[in-house]
Amino acid sequence: MTIASQIRAETYGADPVAVDIRQIDGSMITADWFSAMVMRGLGWIIQVGDLTTPVQGGGAGTVILAQQPELIIDIPAKWTLIPLRIAVDAEVPLLAADNDESEILMTIDRTQINDVTSGTATQEFPSNMRTDIATGCPFLASSAVTANLTAAPTRSFDLAHRTIVGDFVLSGTPANSSWEELWTLYEPDNPPFIVGPASLQVHWGGTVATSAFCQMTFLAIRSSLVTSLVA
Amino acid sequence: MTTDTLVFGKNFNSTGAEVRLSAVPDGGLVIGSWLQAMIARGFGWVVQVGDLTTPIVGGGALTVLDADQPELVMDVPAGFTLRPIRIAVDCETPLIAADDDESEIVLSVDRTNVSDANATNGTVETVFNMRTDIVGGSPISVVSAVTTNLSAAPTISAELQRANVVADLAGTPVTSLWGSLKMLYQPKVPPYIVGPATVVVHFGGTVATSGYIQAFFLAFPSSKVINLV
């Protein structure tokens, strides 16, 4: 005997409703967990840089300095950040010398928040990836930090690192030199869970002044969703 | 007759409570990635090579690749399995010295042995959990910047990925240019590297090549897979 059964599952509404699971041509329709979280309002997007004006990177406007990131997000206790996508597009200037370098670094301090409002910086306000939600991101964020943060980030591990090295060509003068474009995209298939208190920093800079734009999307969820899980 | 069945799944928490599965409003069942669930449960790990703005120099004698002196070596002990989920290498290539200079990156696996790499060979790296509230406990030991030959040289069973650049002088070394050297291994279906085994990353070239590495992987008891038929 075959028992026909219509599979049903509950929606995420305040008053969950059981809905019929659909199919097409014999295939069950499914939705990605991360996309469902974005649909529920747990996804956020933040940008650094203005319409045509990037942020100059580095500590004193040149080489990367840990205490002066170009983007920093504090993740307080009881909250977890899941990075979905971080894109940085840099503008590299004329070379000053052979072996000049510019780089982009995305890194995590898994131990603490870094008081993002303590340095001289621009406070950033993440927008929700579901655009009818106006505010409410649980994370504080700052860009263009130009005075040291009071709580210097401890670099636990990097998410991505990209470097280019310059090389004079032709007549060997800065006006006749060339190097590649500098950009990086961190869009992992399986991102880490950054459990607060912690912070995420994006740096760019180099031996020559390097400016850039950054766009980042991430999920912000209650840590209890993951910290109660066991191996 | 058709019956309605509300679908449940058991949670991964200590009680294994049954939880109703969820749907998006138009009737799509919400699915979570198995790999992502493993990471949420604490099976995901990450390790990096290179400092804030200081890469390590690759190669055996700091130039050409040497199998005995990898830039990253991950020992997978017996009883554990490693699944590489994202390994990124970003190199800095120096000025060219001659036509046809080359720099390269190789990611490979020795499926037969652990290398026994330790502090006498290179730098012992700290491995972090991808769920950052979990501290320590990686079953995979990792050593970078190996400059003293490994006692058990890796036997390459399989290469997972490779990248290289070859230089062409436009005139003299100071008026030359070559492309960037980088590699991203992020497979849709990663292999199961069952211990004892070793995963190694090499980079280097005919000119000194420096680089950074970020390696993300799962590590879990081999018993989860070796009984499958």
Side-chain angles (χ1 to χ4, degrees):
Chain A
M1 183 181 73
T2 301
I3 299 176
S5 183
Q6 169 62 53
I7 298 175
R8 313 189 84 201
E10 291 190 337
T11 64
Y12 287 108
D15 297 312
V17 176
V19 297
D20 292 341
I21 299 302
R22 305 290 180 144
Q23 65 85 35
I24 182 168
D25 196 26
S27 297
M28 183 162 58
I29 303 297
T30 61
D32 170 68
W33 175 41
F34 285 168
S35 291
M37 287 206 278
V38 172
M39 185 184 287
R40 295 164 61 194
L42 302 176
W44 299 90
I45 182 166
I46 192 170
Q47 72 187 37
V48 175
D50 207 346
L51 186 66
T52 60
T53 308
V55 165
Q56 186 168 335
T62 53
V63 177
I64 288 174
L65 180 61
Q67 299 95 325
Q68 296 184 21
E70 281 52 66
L71 170 66
I72 180 166
I73 300 177
D74 270 354
I75 305 148
K78 299 183 180 178
W79 287 94
T80 290
L81 182 149
I82 305 172
L84 298 180
R85 189 177 201 274
I86 309 173
V88 178
D89 179 52
E91 296 179 0
V92 287
L94 291 182
L95 287 177
D98 266 332
N99 290 322
D100 268 335
E101 68 177 63
S102 282
E103 57 193 316
I104 298 166
L105 173 64
M106 303 169 186
T107 189
I108 302 295
D109 180 347
R110 59 164 295 280
T111 61
Q112 60 181 342
I113 61 172
N114 300 109
D115 194 4
V116 298
T117 59
S118 64
T120 302
T122 303
Q123 189 171 0
E124 300 286 355
F125 299 95
S127 303
N128 200 281
M129 291 176 71
R130 207 185 83 190
T131 60
D132 61 310
I133 299 173
T135 59
C137 179
F139 304 151
L140 291 176
S142 289
S143 67
V145 180
T146 55
N148 284 0
L149 298 165
T150 53
T154 301
R155 183 167 149 266
S156 301
F157 60 87
D158 295 342
L159 300 178
H161 202 151
R162 175 79 182 110
T163 307
I164 59 170
V165 180
D167 196 352
F168 285 168
V169 296
L170 300 177
S171 63
T173 68
N176 289 302
S177 59
S178 176
W179 52 356
E180 303 164 78
E181 60 182 349
L182 175 62
W183 65 275
T184 200
L185 173 64
Y186 173 74
E187 191 173 30
D189 291 339
N190 298 105
F193 295 86
I194 315 299
V195 181
S199 78
L200 180 149
Q201 305 108 45
V202 179
H203 298 269
W204 56 81
T207 54
V208 289
T210 302
S211 302
F213 302 90
C214 176
Q215 306 85 35
M216 175 177 176
T217 55
F218 59 89
L219 297 174
I221 63 173
R222 298 276 184 185
S223 293
S224 55
L225 287 175
V226 292
T227 57
S228 61
L229 305 183
V230 294
Chain B
M1 184 183 75
T2 301
T3 60
D4 286 346
T5 302
L6 200 55
V7 187
F8 288 75
K10 283 195 172 180
N11 205 334
F12 281 117
N13 64 18
S14 56
T15 63
E18 290 182 342
V19 177
R20 292 183 179 183
L21 299 189
S22 297
V24 291
D26 274 347
L29 186 67
V30 177
I31 56 168
S33 148
W34 175 49
L35 288 181
Q36 201 61 44
M38 297 280 280
I39 294 167
R41 295 166 62 197
F43 290 112
W45 300 91
V46 53
V47 67
Q48 72 188 27
V49 175
D51 208 346
L52 187 69
T53 61
T54 309
I56 66 163
V57 182
L62 302 181
T63 54
V64 178
L65 302 191
D66 181 352
D68 302 317
Q69 296 185 18
E71 280 52 65
L72 175 71
V73 55
M74 300 193 281
D75 274 353
V76 188
F80 281 91
T81 292
L82 181 151
R83 288 195 91 191
I85 54 179
R86 181 184 170 94
I87 298 177
V89 183
D90 180 58
C91 284
E92 297 180 1
T93 49
L95 293 184
I96 300 167
D99 266 333
D100 294 325
D101 267 337
E102 72 174 63
S103 285
E104 58 193 322
I105 304 166
V106 183
L107 168 62
S108 56
V109 174
D110 178 348
R111 59 167 295 281
T112 61
N113 292 302
V114 293
S115 73
D116 291 330
N118 55 54
T120 64
N121 303 109
T123 304
V124 176
E125 296 286 358
T126 301
V127 183
F128 293 92
N129 199 283
M130 288 178 71
R131 205 184 89 189
T132 63
D133 60 311
I134 297 173
V135 181
S138 168
I140 311 297
S141 60
V142 180
V143 173
S144 72
V146 176
T147 53
T148 300
N149 279 359
L150 298 170
S151 57
T155 300
I156 303 305
S157 308
E159 286 187 5
L160 300 180
Q161 190 154 332
R162 176 185 278 272
N164 69 68
V165 290
V166 179
D168 190 355
L169 288 179
T172 66
V174 294
T175 61
S176 59
L177 183 71
W178 55 353
S180 64
L181 177 61
K182 60 182 177 178
M183 185 198 80
L184 175 62
Y185 175 72
Q186 187 172 237
K188 295 295 182 193
V189 184
Y192 293 83
I193 301 172
V194 180
T198 308
V199 177
V200 286
V201 177
H202 293 86
F203 53 78
T206 53
V207 288
T209 302
S210 303
Y212 303 91
I213 304 171
Q214 303 89 42
F216 298 79
F217 57 90
L218 296 179
F220 50 83
S222 296
S223 56
K224 288 181 181 290
V225 293
I226 59 175
N227 296 325
L228 305 182
V229 294

